[in-house]
Amino acid sequence: MAKAGSKTKTQSPKNISWNLGLLFDSDTSPLIAENRGKVKAAAAAFVSKWRHRRDYLQDPLILRKALDDFEQWSRNFGYDGDEGYYFWLRTSQDQNSSELKAAFNKVEEFGRKIEDETRFFYMRICKIPVRRQKEFLEHPRLAEYRHFLERAFAEARYLMSEAEEKIISAKASTSHSNWVRMTSGFLVREERDVVLEDGSTGARNFSEILNLMNSANRRVRDSAAKAFNAILAKHALVAEAEINSILANKKSDDEFRKIPRPDLSRHISDDMESEVVDTLIGTVAGRFDIPAEFYRLKAGLLKVRKLKYHERNVEYGIDGGSFPYDKSATLVRKVFSRLDPEFVDIFDGFMNNGQIDVYPQKGKTSGAFCAHNLISQPTYILLNHTDSLNDVLTLAHELGHGINNELMKKSQHALHFGAPLSTAEVASTFMEDFVLQEILREADEEQRLALMVKKLNDDVSTIFRQVACYRFEQELHFEFRKKGYLSVEEIGAIFSRHMAAYMGDAVEQSGGAENWWIYWGHIRTFFYVYSYASGLLISKAMQRYVKEDPRFIGNVKTFLSAGLSDSPRNIFRSLGIDIAGAQFWKSGLDEVEALLNETIALAKKLKKIK
Ligand SMILES: [Zn+2]
């Protein structure tokens, strides 16, 4: 692998490693400095043209010209151009190189300056007076930018003056993130002696202990859970102080901004109407019988009367087999070709252009991602393929993101390129589920049962557990605002009630489990968790429609092409679907229930349960 500062190109075989030559030939290419010069010049030209004018805030025709300029600039340059994207990708290939880190930090700093210089443009559009907004939104010459403007105006509704916003953002670290970092910092520094797989005892750190709780070996997982609960108990009072502080900060911010409900700012930034989220949460909570039934099945398969709280994710059955990359790619291509030929073309394009980096390497980022930046730049997918079942599903997942990107690029301009958080995981889980179904078709019955249990386990965690957590958060903010302070016991009682609600009677609320909110990072990114459920359920509903009528894939592509051109609700409305109604979310839940019933029937047939 090429090191920063060297002139050699990456010499790995084609198709399985990134060809960053689509951006720059090497870390020392003279084109890098040239690109930076262009980015700087483009920003300067934009700023000098619009900074001292106000006419674009009054005349729709001039605003159209300004937005066209802004779009072109966002398309080709952005804050840090090709250089920023290139070095970001390079650092994920080699995290240990301090030269790459330095190069990336420098271009980031450069980008922040451009960001500061150009921020005025969007801020001023946000501040177009409410009485004039309608005229701008309805103007035919601004139709192409209508939703961009709608989002800006929606965001602006709760913005305060520039000076006040400065204060709010300056206190964010001392009133929120430092507290959060303190708690998680204390937890990750912990170490405990636990029972290991070979029966011996040894010291393990916090994240290792988390993993050991899923061990198929009961002594190992019980010992890990005991250590885990002891760590949480040790820091419970710290977490109590922390959570009360960040709840108080959130409360005062909402009051300053006159935001009527604590989850509204999340909905606005995700482009979701509160009505839609409320329907989603209510509909899922109305079907907590599904996870309860799943855990009864799982307890039966593991031959226990009740699962302990930490045993929910213990794996059942044999592993899924071996999936070398070639076999994985062939399998995924086969599934894509049945869905839509364009999906195959996009996949082949990624492969042939060197946009997928397949294998683990020393220094390479762990896990997987699909990266995009400016609309004019190529998509890059990073994998760490080690031939497991999870790896083939990850390939399908990241390709789903990649297909989503390419479809948006074809249909949208730069200001509508991207996906809101609420639907960002639709394409990825859609592809992942179809690939899993193909694997199921080829598996024998014992393997099928294990795979279906694994799938249900993931679906339950992504949909029902996150919705239960969202309801916990709602009550947490509500109770805090009512009482002014919540003790660790009070928080634990609220938490346990919401967890018990979706887990049902086959999972014990074991002693210590009332503290598990302490390490649940996402509750500190307030109301983030619903987006897991919304993404997967939209994906499930669309899977169901495609299975009923394969031609529905045309609608799926319309949805995936739409990007930020309208809210998810309106995009679906144009396809004749109302996502503010319960029926849509029920179709997604039906898909999960069907898999559950099939799994129970198979478990009975194989005499694994009575
Ligand atoms: Zn994803």
Side-chain angles (χ1 to χ4, degrees):
M1 188 158 294
K3 284 266 176 298
S6 80
K7 284 199 174 89
T8 49
K9 281 194 230 171
T10 306
Q11 294 295 334
S12 320
K14 217 181 161 200
N15 297 348
I16 55 160
S17 60
W18 280 345
N19 168 23
L20 295 183
L22 300 173
L23 297 165
F24 299 111
D25 265 352
S26 77
D27 300 339
T28 52
S29 164
L31 295 177
I32 294 178
E34 197 181 297
N35 184 258
R36 188 189 282 215
K38 283 183 189 162
V39 172
K40 202 171 170 182
F46 183 82
V47 171
S48 77
K49 184 164 175 191
W50 297 106
R51 171 95 217 175
H52 298 293
R53 291 170 67 166
R54 291 284 190 278
D55 54 354
Y56 69 94
L57 304 169
Q58 276 130 30
D59 183 338
L61 296 176
I62 304 176
L63 180 59
R64 167 71 200 222
K65 284 206 185 83
L67 285 172
D68 284 344
D69 271 6
F70 189 56
E71 195 275 340
Q72 279 301 311
W73 172 71
S74 311
R75 169 181 300 273
N76 297 311
F77 305 104
Y79 304 136
D80 52 13
D82 288 344
E83 186 189 356
Y85 192 38
Y86 177 82
F87 279 112
W88 183 80
L89 291 163
R90 287 289 289 124
T91 50
S92 66
Q93 278 182 316
D94 187 355
Q95 294 181 295
N96 301 328
S97 159
S98 46
E99 284 158 309
L100 284 175
K101 249 182 247 168
F104 178 64
N105 284 347
K106 270 181 135 171
V107 65
E108 238 197 341
E109 194 189 316
F110 166 80
R112 255 197 305 274
K113 254 199 181 137
I114 303 249
E115 190 178 354
D116 286 341
E117 284 163 16
T118 51
R119 187 176 292 123
F120 75 91
F121 185 74
Y122 183 74
M123 294 298 287
R124 285 182 194 168
I125 289 177
C126 286
K127 289 289 180 191
I128 289 178
V130 177
R131 62 191 154 75
R132 300 284 319 269
Q133 288 177 0
K134 197 163 175 259
E135 179 196 339
F136 282 87
L137 292 175
E138 286 172 358
H139 201 283
R141 290 288 290 144
L142 288 170
E144 269 181 63
Y145 297 114
R146 186 186 45 80
H147 196 59
F148 173 79
L149 293 173
E150 265 174 356
R151 290 194 78 179
F153 297 157
E155 224 178 281
R157 224 178 123 188
Y158 301 105
L159 279 181
M160 297 179 291
S161 73
E162 228 168 277
E164 288 165 326
E165 288 296 335
K166 242 188 192 157
I167 299 172
I168 293 260
S169 96
K171 78 178 172 63
S173 53
T174 48
S175 303
H176 184 101
S177 46
N178 288 359
W179 285 94
V180 172
R181 212 173 308 133
M182 174 189 68
T183 307
S184 65
F186 285 155
L187 295 178
V188 298
R189 245 171 272 152
E190 288 286 350
E191 215 180 72
R192 287 286 188 284
D193 279 337
V194 288
V195 177
L196 304 173
E197 300 288 348
D198 63 5
S200 68
T201 305
R204 287 295 179 268
N205 67 31
F206 189 71
S207 77
E208 290 167 329
I209 292 172
L210 260 172
N211 285 330
L212 287 174
M213 283 196 288
N214 297 333
S215 168
N217 180 332
R218 176 185 306 238
R219 279 191 62 218
V220 172
R221 65 178 184 251
D222 285 354
S223 149
K226 205 173 150 199
F228 184 75
N229 286 331
I231 295 171
L232 295 185
K234 175 178 167 189
H235 297 289
L237 285 176
V238 166
E240 177 188 300
E242 173 237 358
I243 208 89
N244 276 281
S245 296
I246 66 171
L247 287 170
N249 182 52
K250 164 78 170 151
K251 175 175 175 263
S252 50
D253 283 0
D254 282 353
E255 283 170 1
F256 292 144
R257 296 182 188 286
K258 301 194 172 50
I259 291 185
R261 51 187 277 184
D263 47 3
L264 181 61
S265 35
R266 168 67 52 202
H267 301 163
I268 293 172
S269 73
D270 291 1
D271 211 4
M272 288 287 259
E273 289 94 332
S274 298
E275 192 192 350
V276 174
V277 178
D278 289 343
T279 307
L280 157 70
I281 300 294
T283 311
V284 173
R287 291 307 314 270
F288 278 169
D289 59 305
I290 296 175
E293 184 66 37
F294 168 69
Y295 287 126
R296 272 194 286 280
L297 165 68
K298 190 154 183 183
L301 289 170
L302 295 176
K303 309 271 177 245
V304 294
R305 198 176 57 80
K306 269 187 179 221
L307 296 164
K308 279 173 266 182
Y309 186 95
H310 65 271
E311 290 178 317
R312 287 166 297 116
N313 296 325
V314 171
E315 292 218 358
Y316 167 76
I318 40 169
D319 73 3
S322 173
F323 293 87
Y325 184 65
D326 278 350
K327 182 179 162 189
S328 306
T330 307
L331 182 88
V332 169
R333 192 181 277 107
K334 184 167 133 195
V335 173
F336 284 3
S337 69
R338 273 205 296 266
L339 287 170
D340 191 274
E342 196 178 357
F343 298 165
V344 183
D345 292 345
I346 293 172
F347 182 14
D348 287 346
F350 287 161
M351 277 245 213
N352 296 334
N353 296 327
Q355 290 169 268
I356 309 179
D357 205 276
V358 177
Y359 294 110
Q361 297 268 359
K362 194 160 173 272
K364 182 173 160 180
T365 301
S366 59
F369 64 67
C370 174
H372 65 82
N373 188 40
L374 303 181
I375 194 170
S376 58
Q377 292 167 337
T379 298
Y380 281 102
I381 290 175
L382 178 139
L383 307 170
N384 276 286
H385 200 93
T386 54
D387 302 353
S388 76
L389 170 75
N390 273 334
D391 295 326
V392 65
L393 296 177
T394 300
L395 172 65
H397 182 106
E398 301 307 337
L399 283 170
H401 285 303
I403 287 167
N404 198 359
N405 283 348
E406 299 306 315
L407 292 175
M408 290 189 292
K409 278 184 191 171
K410 277 189 192 163
S411 313
Q412 303 304 330
H413 56 65
L415 305 187
H416 285 165
F417 175 60
L421 180 68
S422 52
T423 59
E425 292 300 332
V426 172
S428 52
T429 52
F430 184 87
M431 301 305 175
E432 196 183 327
D433 280 2
F434 272 105
V435 166
L436 180 70
Q437 272 145 29
E438 183 62 26
I439 293 170
L440 284 174
R441 286 203 336 199
E442 291 169 4
D444 68 38
E445 286 191 322
E446 294 271 342
Q447 260 177 335
R448 275 173 64 89
L449 180 62
L451 289 173
M452 284 153 73
V453 170
K454 174 183 156 58
K455 181 69 206 159
L456 282 166
N457 207 87
D458 290 349
D459 288 354
V460 164
S461 301
T462 307
I463 298 168
F464 301 98
R465 184 170 175 79
Q466 307 302 326
V467 165
C469 180
Y470 190 92
R471 285 166 40 111
F472 159 66
E473 278 188 61
Q474 284 181 314
E475 194 174 340
L476 186 67
H477 288 265
F478 178 81
E479 286 297 311
F480 173 82
R481 288 172 187 205
K482 201 170 76 184
K483 293 185 176 152
Y485 194 88
L486 298 174
S487 69
V488 71
E489 291 79 15
E490 286 171 304
I491 301 170
I494 302 171
F495 182 74
S496 295
R497 187 153 29 78
H498 285 285
M499 293 300 112
Y502 92 91
M503 290 176 189
D505 54 16
V507 184
E508 192 180 281
Q509 295 303 308
S510 321
E514 71 281 3
N515 283 335
W516 279 43
W517 59 270
I518 291 172
Y519 98 103
W520 201 330
H522 275 140
I523 66 169
R524 279 88 172 169
T525 311
F526 304 127
F527 301 104
Y528 177 91
V529 291
Y530 89 89
S531 64
Y532 288 103
S534 66
L536 185 55
L537 277 175
I538 290 173
S539 159
K540 297 261 178 209
M542 296 213 281
Q543 289 169 38
R544 195 162 186 89
Y545 298 151
V546 168
K547 285 176 196 166
E548 282 163 7
D549 178 1
R551 285 171 305 179
F552 190 84
I553 200 72
N555 287 341
V556 174
K557 286 174 73 180
T558 304
F559 173 76
L560 296 181
S561 305
L564 303 171
S565 65
D566 213 333
S567 69
R569 185 184 188 176
N570 285 336
I571 296 165
F572 276 107
R573 191 180 276 148
S574 73
L575 303 174
I577 296 167
D578 176 20
I579 66 169
Q583 195 46 50
F584 175 75
W585 304 104
K586 277 185 186 146
S587 329
L589 292 169
D590 286 347
E591 188 73 3
V592 182
E593 192 178 27
L595 177 63
L596 176 60
N597 290 336
E598 207 188 316
T599 310
I600 292 172
L602 181 58
K604 282 184 178 157
K605 184 181 166 202
L606 295 174
K607 304 213 173 352
K608 304 286 183 189
I609 55 166
K610 271 185 242 136

